[in-house]
Amino acid sequence: MAATGARVITGARTNGSSDFTELAARIRDTGLMRRRYGYYWAKLCLVPLVLAAAIVAFIWIGDSWWQLFTAAGFAVIFTQVAFLGHDAAHRQIFVSGRWNDWVSLIIGDLFVGMSVGWWRHKHTRHHANPNKEGADPDIDLPVISFTPEQVTRRRNPVTSWLISHQGAFFFPVLLLEGISLHASGIARVLRREPMDRRWVEIVFLAARLGGFIALVFAVLSPGIAVVFLAVQLGLFGLYMGASFAPNHKGMPLVPATVKLDFLRRQILMSRNIRGGRFVDIFMGGLNYQIEHHLFPSMPRPHLRHAAPIVRAHCKRLGIPYTETSLITSYRIVLRYINRVGLGERDPFDCPLIAERRAS
C-alpha cells in the first residue's frame, strides 16, 4: 500500500493486545529474534579499520581542495557507523544489555560524536508514541511545522512566509542537522540532569569532536579546513535526515487524547521503504520501520524476513500496511509539510474516517 499523506487517527480498537501477542509468537517461532553475532562482529571489526583508512587517506592527500571528496566520504562513513550505533542502542547486537550499552557509547560518542544518552532519551519517547501530538519529539522541531497547531503558534510576518514555503526549505535545513546532532548531545551531557555514564560521554565526545577538528586544522590550511568541516557536517546531516524522514513524516497523526493499542500504534504511524538490498544498506535497515517499531531489538538482517510475516498479519486483520519507494516517500513528506505550512487544518483525507462513515 502506498501512502498518500498524513491523516488523523480518531479512535482505536481494543483487541490489539491479543493481535500483537499472536504476531510476536509467530516471529519468535521463526527464530528472527536470535542474535546475529557473525554479522555484527564483522561490522564492529570493520568500523575502526574503515575509519583508520579514511584518516590515513586524509593525511596522505594533504592540504588540497580534493579533500572535499574526503569530507563527503567521512559523512557517509559516520552515518553508516551511526546506524550500527542505533542497532546497539536498541540491543540488537548482544544479549547482554551492558555490552550493547558500551558498544553504543563507543560507536555513538567516540566514533560519531553523538551523545547516546541524549539520543536514547529522545528516541525512547518517539518509539513509545510515534506521531502522537505532544508526546513524539520527532514532530516537534524548531524549524519545521508538522501540525496545524504548530503553524498557528509560530505565526509572525517572517515565520509565516518561511512556514508557507517550508517544503522548499526541508532538505536545505537538513544540511544543518549534523551541527544540531552534535550540539544537542553536548548540551545534554552538560545539563544538571540525571544521566548514566555522564563522564564517559563527556570524555568520548571531547576526544572525538576535539580530536577530529584538531586533525583537520593540522592537515589543512584554515580556509580549506572550514569548508571541509562545512561539507562533512552538511552532508552528514543531510544523509541522516534523509534516512529518518521517510519513516513517519506524512503518516497519520495521533491527537494527544487518543489511545491506541501497541500493534496499531506502531503500524499505522510507520512507513516502509522498498527498494531491495541497496536501500537496505543506504538506510541502515530503517527502511523496515514497521518491523523495527514492532520489534526494536530484532537484529537488522532479520527485518527483511519479518516483513512478509507482518504484512500478512496486517492483511488478515485489515490493518493498513504502508510501503512505498524512497522517492515517493520524499514526495509525500514534502507535499504534507507544504500543505500544513499553507495553513490547511486537514491536509489529507483519512481513509479510516471514510470507512467508518460508509459503515
Side-chain angles (χ1 to χ4, degrees), residues 50-71:
V50 171
L51 286 173
I55 291 172
V56 169
F58 173 76
I59 296 172
W60 179 75
I61 293 171
D63 189 23
S64 165
W65 286 106
W66 288 105
Q67 292 282 21
L68 298 188
F69 290 99
T70 314

Side-chain angles (χ1 to χ4, degrees), residues 134-260:
D136 183 358
D138 285 3
I139 60 169
D140 190 12
L141 303 179
V143 291
I144 299 291
S145 295
F146 292 103
T147 69
E149 289 69 27
Q150 291 173 357
V151 173
T152 303
R153 189 168 69 235
R154 295 167 179 170
R155 287 287 183 186
N156 66 53
V158 176
T159 60
S160 178
W161 185 87
L162 291 174
I163 291 173
S164 65
H165 296 81
Q166 64 180 358
F169 296 131
F170 181 68
F171 283 106
V173 164
L174 291 182
L175 292 170
L176 302 175
E177 181 68 7
I179 296 175
S180 176
L181 291 171
H182 293 311
S184 297
I186 293 171
R188 171 72 177 169
V189 299
L190 295 180
R191 285 196 204 113
R192 293 182 178 179
E193 297 177 3
M195 186 176 186
D196 293 336
R197 302 184 178 94
R198 179 189 304 276
W199 282 105
V200 172
E201 293 214 41
I202 289 175
V203 171
F204 281 2
L205 287 174
R208 159 61 176 87
L209 298 176
F212 189 71
I213 292 172
L215 174 66
V216 170
F217 277 92
V219 173
L220 305 179
S221 57
I224 298 178
V226 170
V227 177
F228 174 92
L229 290 173
V231 171
Q232 186 270 306
L233 286 169
L235 293 181
F236 170 65
L238 180 64
Y239 188 1
M240 288 285 284
S243 300
F244 282 88
N247 302 327
H248 302 281
K249 305 297 185 287
M251 291 301 289
L253 299 176
V254 184
T257 56
V258 170
K259 293 184 178 180
L260 290 168

